[in-house]
Amino acid sequence: MKGTEIVEVAKEVELENPILIEGLPGLGMVGRIVVRYLAKSFGAERLAFLYSPHFPYYVLVNKKGDVRLLRAEFRYLKNKSGKGDLVLLTGDSQAQTIEGQYEVADRILEFAQKLGVKTIVTVGGFRVETEEMPKVMAAATSPELLEKSVAAGAVASRAGNPIVGTAGLLLGMAHFRKIDALCLLSETRGYLPDPKSAKSVLEVLQKLLGLGVDLAGLDKEIEKAEQIVVRMRQIEKRRELQARKRRKLEEEKATYIS
Amino acid sequence: MKGTEIVEVAKEVELENPILIEGLPGLGMVGRIVVRYLAKSFGAERLAFLYSPHFPYYVLVNKKGDVRLLRAEFRYLKNKSGKGDLVLLTGDSQAQTIEGQYEVADRILEFAQKLGVKTIVTVGGFRVETEEMPKVMAAATSPELLEKSVAAGAVASRAGNPIVGTAGLLLGMAHFRKIDALCLLSETRGYLPDPKSAKSVLEVLQKLLGLGVDLAGLDKEIEKAEQIVVRMRQIEKRRELQARKRRKLEEEKATYIS
Amino acid sequence: MKGTEIVEVAKEVELENPILIEGLPGLGMVGRIVVRYLAKSFGAERLAFLYSPHFPYYVLVNKKGDVRLLRAEFRYLKNKSGKGDLVLLTGDSQAQTIEGQYEVADRILEFAQKLGVKTIVTVGGFRVETEEMPKVMAAATSPELLEKSVAAGAVASRAGNPIVGTAGLLLGMAHFRKIDALCLLSETRGYLPDPKSAKSVLEVLQKLLGLGVDLAGLDKEIEKAEQIVVRMRQIEKRRELQARKRRKLEEEKATYIS
Amino acid sequence: MKGTEIVEVAKEVELENPILIEGLPGLGMVGRIVVRYLAKSFGAERLAFLYSPHFPYYVLVNKKGDVRLLRAEFRYLKNKSGKGDLVLLTGDSQAQTIEGQYEVADRILEFAQKLGVKTIVTVGGFRVETEEMPKVMAAATSPELLEKSVAAGAVASRAGNPIVGTAGLLLGMAHFRKIDALCLLSETRGYLPDPKSAKSVLEVLQKLLGLGVDLAGLDKEIEKAEQIVVRMRQIEKRRELQARKRRKLEEEKATYIS
């Protein structure tokens, strides 16, 4: 592996008017949850793997005891959206270096272009401390795409906001390949997988792409995630108290010993 | 994008005796303020963009809701200086790695050479804690250029002073391309955009290049910047006081709890 | 040296059905102890060196006062295993950058393929705080290989466990070269060379490859290592006490001075 | 500049049996002081510059107000040593990345080979806390070279000692170019330029290469360096006292405020 490489596993697939939806790991795992939910709901088929020497240098053990490199995975869905066939991209990691980030985004766009993709939607999280229903911020490389996402429930992102990582670079580099691109960033606290934030994005995608996906399956995960947050706060509180006590005791001991 | 690339957007431009003025982001944003002020005052036209995989891996949302890669931008001005046409270079960022810094400087010089540039002026900040009128330090690749800058109000830099980043590397690498280069570094505290420091440089450039630019437009920004400094100091002071109180309270609480 | 390079030192060697056992430095030096013990016990011969600009940038002084680059070393053993000739790989270091890790693993696999290797066993440590007999966790690129290792005393690794570094990447990248690979990770506290953990792996290898190696030679080293742990804990304890006393004294002094 | 480059400035020089002495910046600046002292004492002539994108990304202002890239410099001396002409190498910096270190060492050796160099002596510092006369440790790629250096007053380095940076890598990589290499490391505390340590190396080089250089010129610098150490210790002590007082005062203030 000399650099980032894409290995196709389903070569004879014909895609019509394909739209790429990207959701690599990031804040609140929003993009990854969105893309995996779509892939599972519709039973998406494998299309290709992306390997990169800029991913972390470890491998994962699968459920079968098998071992594999970190990778990103392209899947496809035919006839699920009124706008075109779908290509779904998610994976284990983002590139770990600056130059790696640009290389991976470039390779994704090169492959998208080869597949005939004319529109890309990237999905991610946007850090906000809120208890309310997560809003979805949109930014796009064309005014039409931005308008459509707003009509589908997103809010146009404010000028100056940076979009970090692959979700951003794909937009920045898309016009070199004559591809339109939209980024949907959903509000999230970001430190834990956030299915509630993902649901907000799915609702926008639902309308934008005419998807007909059932989102009820996410509600159980949302409940679980909220219970975890409650439990973590309790643990945090207890830890703080104990740390204070310990410090106090040690100071007393030191006094006693000296 | 395999490496740093320059994409020309105005190909038929004929420049006479062009002089490149570079001011990428750095201490006190001095270089960027200088170049943007010249570009705005004279209505400079776009010439080319420089993209690099060594810039940070995020994209920016524009006012129109559009998204773009970080980049540097070349603009040009015809017939504004008695010394030659001007090429103005500023941008969003400097390269983030050592090797990237050398690559970006090399690509800028290659493009400058192609444009027929024979003289480069780089602009930046020089960290000094002072309340006085910022002095402008000059260093150059030729004694004549240094003398001219001193005649225009700059002070020759002391031996041993390092010039960090693109503003420095352009000078260091200029002679490989038979280009003369001058660096003007203006005194600044450096942690906030410093239009007062930028004005000092513009006054030197004014005389050096015979520019006839009206600098009054900067005075409002200078006033605003000074108000920000005053407010930040007040906030800083209050924070310190509160931090002390908090520490005190926590120690008492810990005593109570244990 | 433009990149990672393998320099062969014994070119005419014919290996039958060679199996590569890799054990570069890592947690508890388990892999390195295992491979060096096999090499020494059976008197393995030198086959090749691997040099890399991704290894740390220092050199080592040998016993003879000679100096050499950091490197990894391939040795070979004929007719010691019923399963095939052995190629042993250990060395001074692992690659120090992400991209270097992928490059070194790729070069090792390329060389293994050239030698006709069809099976690779990588050996490492797995961090666990335990006083018990170290267990050996196994993961593999084929179910048969995993089963055989379990039959030889290893435990199948749980899904989700990452395997970091060369020991992992060799498995992840093996299938691109049509090579089967098994990873054996032995439990270790990890911060000191751990011959006891290495012995657990050697027992598995013994059965798996039909090796007939005498493991008694390790018992002295195990005893020594345990004495070091005991001594280090005593030193640790004493240091802690002294640090507390010192802090106390300094506080008193400060009170006195002010 | 695509990578590390050597630019020759004196092309017609014929060197007989040239010996390269390298002393780039490092611990106690020992190597640099040694090479610069030889160059100045004998009036060495410029031979070539080495530039590298792995050096830090700043430039230096010269005494004349001129600006230059960081670089290393080859100079030469004819007929000063009974063993052959001398090539002296020192510079502003070492490479800042692992891969850069290997690249710079490789380029130096390539150039040395082109010049017909058969022997390299690298010079550096070795960190030891001592007040005594600095000893010089030697390591070499051949037993003869090591013996000669011991006969000239050096001590053979103990096995296991790492030699970090260019001084080490040149030895590690020399045999790929059929060049013999010796490293002389002189004891130094390392945090300040250490002419006393440099003098120890020069005494060894004197005998080893039959140099006839007058070392008295170093004694003034040694005296100055020792005065700086004394002054720094006084400053250090005062600072510590003041820091304690300040902490005390702040604690009292906090008590008063709350």
Side-chain angles (χ1 to χ4, degrees):
Chain A
M1 190 168 29
K2 305 290 176 217
T4 304
E5 269 174 31
I6 288 174
V7 179
E8 295 181 56
V9 290
K11 284 185 183 173
E12 305 280 300
V13 180
E14 292 270 316
L15 296 172
E16 283 190 44
N17 227 347
I19 296 163
L20 171 64
I21 305 178
E22 176 271 348
L24 288 173
L27 278 182
M29 288 288 171
V30 175
R32 192 165 132 130
I33 298 173
V34 164
V35 170
R36 292 180 79 160
Y37 192 78
L38 288 178
K40 212 180 152 193
S41 300
F42 288 131
E45 300 279 332
R46 271 186 177 159
L47 184 61
F49 293 122
L50 179 150
Y51 297 101
S52 175
H54 308 292
F55 287 161
Y57 54 95
Y58 60 82
V59 295
L60 292 172
V61 181
N62 279 350
K63 278 178 205 159
K64 297 177 218 163
D66 190 8
V67 167
R68 61 173 187 75
L69 282 183
L70 297 193
R71 69 190 180 202
E73 193 177 54
F74 292 88
R75 291 177 173 262
Y76 68 96
L77 282 170
K78 293 192 68 72
N79 310 318
K80 296 301 176 194
S81 154
K83 313 289 178 182
D85 291 337
L86 299 182
V87 178
L88 304 175
L89 171 61
T90 185
D92 302 306
S93 173
Q94 296 209 11
Q96 301 294 295
T97 61
I98 297 176
E99 287 83 358
Q101 280 275 356
Y102 280 88
E103 186 181 292
V104 166
D106 189 49
R107 225 52 98 248
I108 291 171
L109 285 165
E110 188 182 51
F111 185 58
Q113 194 179 29
K114 196 186 143 193
L115 294 174
V117 168
K118 291 272 175 278
T119 308
I120 292 177
V121 183
T122 71
V123 180
F126 182 79
R127 200 190 301 276
V128 171
E129 281 296 331
T130 174
E131 303 279 339
E132 285 167 48
M133 203 56 211
K135 279 198 286 284
V136 177
M137 318 296 288
T141 62
S142 86
E144 301 80 46
L145 209 48
L146 187 63
E147 271 168 43
K148 281 181 196 168
S149 75
V150 171
V155 180
S157 177
R158 276 190 305 171
N161 277 342
I163 308 174
V164 181
T166 310
L169 291 184
L170 287 178
L171 267 75
M173 297 165 82
H175 75 99
F176 297 122
R177 307 268 180 185
K178 316 227 153 142
I179 295 175
D180 269 348
L182 168 71
C183 175
L184 300 174
L185 296 180
S186 186
E187 293 181 345
T188 175
R189 277 200 221 96
Y191 44 84
L192 283 174
D194 190 343
K196 193 173 161 191
S197 179
K199 196 180 174 186
S200 286
V201 175
L202 283 162
E203 282 164 354
V204 173
L205 285 176
Q206 182 90 285
K207 281 182 213 152
L208 185 73
L209 302 176
L211 283 181
V213 59
D214 179 12
L215 300 182
L218 270 170
D219 293 335
K220 230 181 186 166
E221 284 187 52
I222 292 173
E223 215 179 297
K224 262 194 259 172
E226 275 164 8
Q227 285 167 1
I228 290 173
V229 171
V230 170
R231 237 174 301 146
M232 283 189 61
R233 282 183 188 162
Q234 292 170 340
I235 291 169
E236 190 76 10
K237 242 187 195 159
R238 230 172 296 149
R239 247 188 227 153
E240 239 171 69
L241 263 172
Q242 284 170 347
R244 271 187 209 154
K245 276 195 195 168
R246 210 175 324 116
R247 249 177 291 142
K248 196 75 220 312
L249 276 170
E250 271 173 14
E251 281 165 20
E252 291 174 3
K253 243 197 282 182
T255 313
Y256 182 77
I257 288 158
S258 64
Chain B
M1 188 166 33
K2 305 291 174 218
T4 304
E5 270 174 30
I6 288 174
V7 179
E8 296 181 57
V9 290
K11 284 185 183 175
E12 304 280 298
V13 181
E14 292 270 316
L15 296 171
E16 283 190 44
N17 228 347
I19 296 162
L20 172 63
I21 306 178
E22 177 272 346
L24 288 173
L27 278 182
M29 288 290 171
V30 175
R32 191 165 132 132
I33 298 173
V34 164
V35 170
R36 291 179 80 159
Y37 191 80
L38 288 177
K40 211 180 153 193
S41 299
F42 288 130
E45 300 279 331
R46 272 186 177 159
L47 184 61
F49 293 122
L50 179 150
Y51 297 101
S52 174
H54 309 292
F55 286 162
Y57 54 96
Y58 60 82
V59 294
L60 292 173
V61 181
N62 279 350
K63 278 178 205 159
K64 296 177 217 163
D66 190 9
V67 167
R68 61 173 187 75
L69 282 183
L70 296 192
R71 68 191 180 202
E73 193 177 55
F74 292 88
R75 290 177 173 261
Y76 68 96
L77 281 170
K78 292 193 68 72
N79 310 316
K80 297 301 175 193
S81 154
K83 312 290 176 179
D85 292 336
L86 298 183
V87 177
L88 303 175
L89 171 61
T90 185
D92 302 305
S93 174
Q94 296 209 11
Q96 301 293 295
T97 61
I98 297 175
E99 288 83 359
Q101 281 275 355
Y102 281 88
E103 186 182 291
V104 166
D106 190 48
R107 224 54 96 250
I108 291 171
L109 286 164
E110 189 183 51
F111 185 59
Q113 194 178 29
K114 196 185 143 192
L115 293 174
V117 168
K118 291 271 174 281
T119 308
I120 293 178
V121 183
T122 71
V123 180
F126 182 78
R127 201 191 302 273
V128 171
E129 282 294 332
T130 174
E131 304 279 340
E132 285 168 48
M133 203 56 211
K135 279 198 285 284
V136 177
M137 319 295 288
T141 62
S142 86
E144 300 81 45
L145 209 48
L146 187 62
E147 271 169 42
K148 280 181 197 168
S149 75
V150 170
V155 181
S157 177
R158 276 190 306 170
N161 277 343
I163 308 173
V164 181
T166 310
L169 290 184
L170 287 178
L171 266 76
M173 298 165 81
H175 75 100
F176 297 122
R177 307 268 181 186
K178 316 229 152 139
I179 295 175
D180 269 349
L182 167 70
C183 175
L184 299 174
L185 297 179
S186 185
E187 294 182 344
T188 175
R189 279 200 219 96
Y191 44 85
L192 283 174
D194 190 343
K196 192 172 162 191
S197 179
K199 195 179 175 187
S200 287
V201 175
L202 282 162
E203 282 165 352
V204 173
L205 285 175
Q206 182 90 284
K207 280 183 213 151
L208 185 72
L209 302 176
L211 282 182
V213 60
D214 179 11
L215 299 182
L218 270 170
D219 293 335
K220 229 181 188 164
E221 284 186 51
I222 292 173
E223 214 179 299
K224 264 194 258 172
E226 275 164 7
Q227 285 166 1
I228 290 172
V229 170
V230 170
R231 239 174 300 146
M232 284 189 61
R233 283 184 187 161
Q234 292 170 340
I235 291 169
E236 190 75 10
K237 242 185 195 160
R238 231 173 295 149
R239 248 188 226 152
E240 239 171 70
L241 263 172
Q242 284 169 348
R244 271 185 209 155
K245 276 196 195 168
R246 210 174 325 115
R247 251 178 290 143
K248 198 74 220 314
L249 276 169
E250 271 173 15
E251 281 165 21
E252 291 175 3
K253 244 197 280 182
T255 314
Y256 182 77
I257 287 159
S258 64
Chain C
M1 189 167 30
K2 305 292 176 215
T4 304
E5 270 174 30
I6 288 174
V7 178
E8 294 181 57
V9 290
K11 284 185 184 174
E12 305 280 299
V13 181
E14 292 269 317
L15 297 172
E16 282 190 45
N17 228 348
I19 296 163
L20 171 63
I21 305 178
E22 176 271 348
L24 288 172
L27 278 182
M29 287 288 172
V30 175
R32 191 165 132 131
I33 298 172
V34 164
V35 170
R36 291 181 79 159
Y37 192 79
L38 288 177
K40 211 179 153 193
S41 300
F42 287 131
E45 299 280 332
R46 272 185 177 160
L47 184 61
F49 294 122
L50 179 150
Y51 297 100
S52 175
H54 309 293
F55 287 162
Y57 54 96
Y58 59 83
V59 295
L60 293 172
V61 181
N62 279 350
K63 277 180 206 158
K64 295 177 219 162
D66 190 8
V67 167
R68 61 171 186 76
L69 282 183
L70 297 193
R71 69 191 180 200
E73 193 178 55
F74 293 87
R75 290 176 173 264
Y76 68 96
L77 282 170
K78 293 192 69 69
N79 309 317
K80 296 301 175 192
S81 154
K83 313 290 177 179
D85 291 338
L86 299 182
V87 178
L88 304 174
L89 170 61
T90 186
D92 302 306
S93 173
Q94 296 209 10
Q96 300 294 295
T97 60
I98 298 175
E99 287 84 358
Q101 281 275 354
Y102 280 89
E103 186 181 292
V104 166
D106 190 49
R107 224 52 98 250
I108 292 171
L109 286 164
E110 189 182 51
F111 185 58
Q113 194 179 29
K114 195 185 144 193
L115 293 174
V117 168
K118 291 272 177 280
T119 309
I120 292 177
V121 183
T122 71
V123 180
F126 182 79
R127 201 190 302 275
V128 171
E129 281 296 332
T130 174
E131 303 280 340
E132 284 167 49
M133 203 55 211
K135 279 198 285 285
V136 177
M137 319 294 289
T141 62
S142 86
E144 301 80 47
L145 209 48
L146 187 62
E147 270 168 44
K148 282 181 195 165
S149 75
V150 171
V155 180
S157 176
R158 276 190 304 170
N161 277 343
I163 308 173
V164 181
T166 310
L169 290 184
L170 287 178
L171 268 75
M173 297 165 80
H175 75 101
F176 297 122
R177 307 267 181 187
K178 316 228 152 139
I179 295 175
D180 268 349
L182 167 72
C183 175
L184 299 175
L185 297 180
S186 186
E187 294 181 343
T188 175
R189 277 201 220 96
Y191 44 84
L192 283 174
D194 189 343
K196 194 174 162 192
S197 179
K199 196 179 175 187
S200 286
V201 175
L202 282 162
E203 282 164 353
V204 173
L205 285 175
Q206 182 90 282
K207 281 184 213 151
L208 184 73
L209 302 176
L211 282 181
V213 59
D214 179 11
L215 299 183
L218 270 170
D219 292 334
K220 230 181 188 165
E221 284 187 51
I222 292 173
E223 214 179 298
K224 262 194 258 172
E226 274 165 6
Q227 285 167 1
I228 290 173
V229 171
V230 169
R231 238 174 300 146
M232 282 189 61
R233 282 182 188 163
Q234 292 170 340
I235 291 169
E236 190 76 11
K237 243 186 195 159
R238 229 172 297 148
R239 249 189 225 151
E240 238 170 70
L241 263 172
Q242 284 169 346
R244 272 186 209 155
K245 277 195 195 169
R246 210 174 325 117
R247 250 178 289 143
K248 198 76 220 315
L249 277 170
E250 271 173 14
E251 281 164 22
E252 291 175 0
K253 243 196 281 180
T255 313
Y256 182 78
I257 287 159
S258 64
Chain D
M1 188 166 31
K2 305 292 175 215
T4 303
E5 270 174 31
I6 288 174
V7 178
E8 294 181 57
V9 290
K11 284 185 184 173
E12 305 280 300
V13 180
E14 292 269 316
L15 297 171
E16 283 190 44
N17 229 347
I19 296 163
L20 171 64
I21 306 179
E22 176 273 346
L24 287 173
L27 278 182
M29 287 289 172
V30 175
R32 191 164 133 132
I33 297 172
V34 164
V35 169
R36 291 180 79 159
Y37 192 80
L38 288 177
K40 210 179 153 193
S41 300
F42 288 130
E45 299 280 331
R46 272 188 177 157
L47 184 60
F49 293 121
L50 178 150
Y51 297 100
S52 175
H54 308 293
F55 286 161
Y57 54 96
Y58 59 83
V59 295
L60 292 173
V61 181
N62 279 350
K63 278 180 204 155
K64 296 177 217 162
D66 190 8
V67 167
R68 62 173 185 75
L69 282 183
L70 296 192
R71 68 191 181 201
E73 194 177 56
F74 293 88
R75 290 177 173 262
Y76 68 96
L77 283 170
K78 293 191 69 70
N79 310 316
K80 297 300 175 192
S81 154
K83 311 291 175 178
D85 292 337
L86 298 183
V87 178
L88 304 175
L89 171 61
T90 185
D92 302 305
S93 174
Q94 296 209 10
Q96 301 293 295
T97 60
I98 298 175
E99 287 84 358
Q101 281 274 354
Y102 281 88
E103 186 181 292
V104 166
D106 189 49
R107 224 54 97 249
I108 292 170
L109 286 165
E110 189 182 52
F111 185 58
Q113 194 178 29
K114 196 185 143 192
L115 294 174
V117 168
K118 291 272 175 278
T119 309
I120 293 178
V121 183
T122 70
V123 179
F126 182 79
R127 201 190 303 274
V128 171
E129 282 295 332
T130 173
E131 303 278 340
E132 284 168 49
M133 203 55 210
K135 279 197 286 283
V136 177
M137 319 296 289
T141 62
S142 86
E144 301 81 46
L145 208 49
L146 187 63
E147 270 168 45
K148 281 181 195 166
S149 74
V150 170
V155 180
S157 177
R158 276 190 305 169
N161 277 341
I163 309 174
V164 180
T166 309
L169 290 184
L170 287 177
L171 267 74
M173 297 165 82
H175 75 101
F176 297 122
R177 307 267 180 187
K178 317 229 153 140
I179 295 175
D180 269 349
L182 167 72
C183 175
L184 299 174
L185 296 180
S186 185
E187 294 182 344
T188 175
R189 280 201 218 95
Y191 45 85
L192 283 174
D194 189 344
K196 193 172 162 192
S197 180
K199 196 179 175 186
S200 287
V201 175
L202 283 162
E203 282 164 353
V204 173
L205 285 175
Q206 182 91 284
K207 280 182 213 151
L208 185 73
L209 303 176
L211 283 181
V213 59
D214 179 11
L215 299 182
L218 270 170
D219 293 335
K220 230 181 187 164
E221 283 187 52
I222 292 173
E223 213 179 300
K224 263 194 258 172
E226 275 165 5
Q227 285 166 0
I228 290 173
V229 171
V230 170
R231 239 174 301 146
M232 282 189 62
R233 282 182 188 164
Q234 292 169 339
I235 291 169
E236 189 76 12
K237 241 185 194 160
R238 231 173 296 149
R239 250 189 225 151
E240 239 170 68
L241 262 172
Q242 284 169 347
R244 272 186 210 157
K245 276 196 195 170
R246 210 175 324 116
R247 252 178 289 142
K248 198 75 220 314
L249 276 169
E250 271 173 15
E251 281 166 20
E252 291 176 1
K253 243 197 280 182
T255 314
Y256 182 77
I257 287 160
S258 64

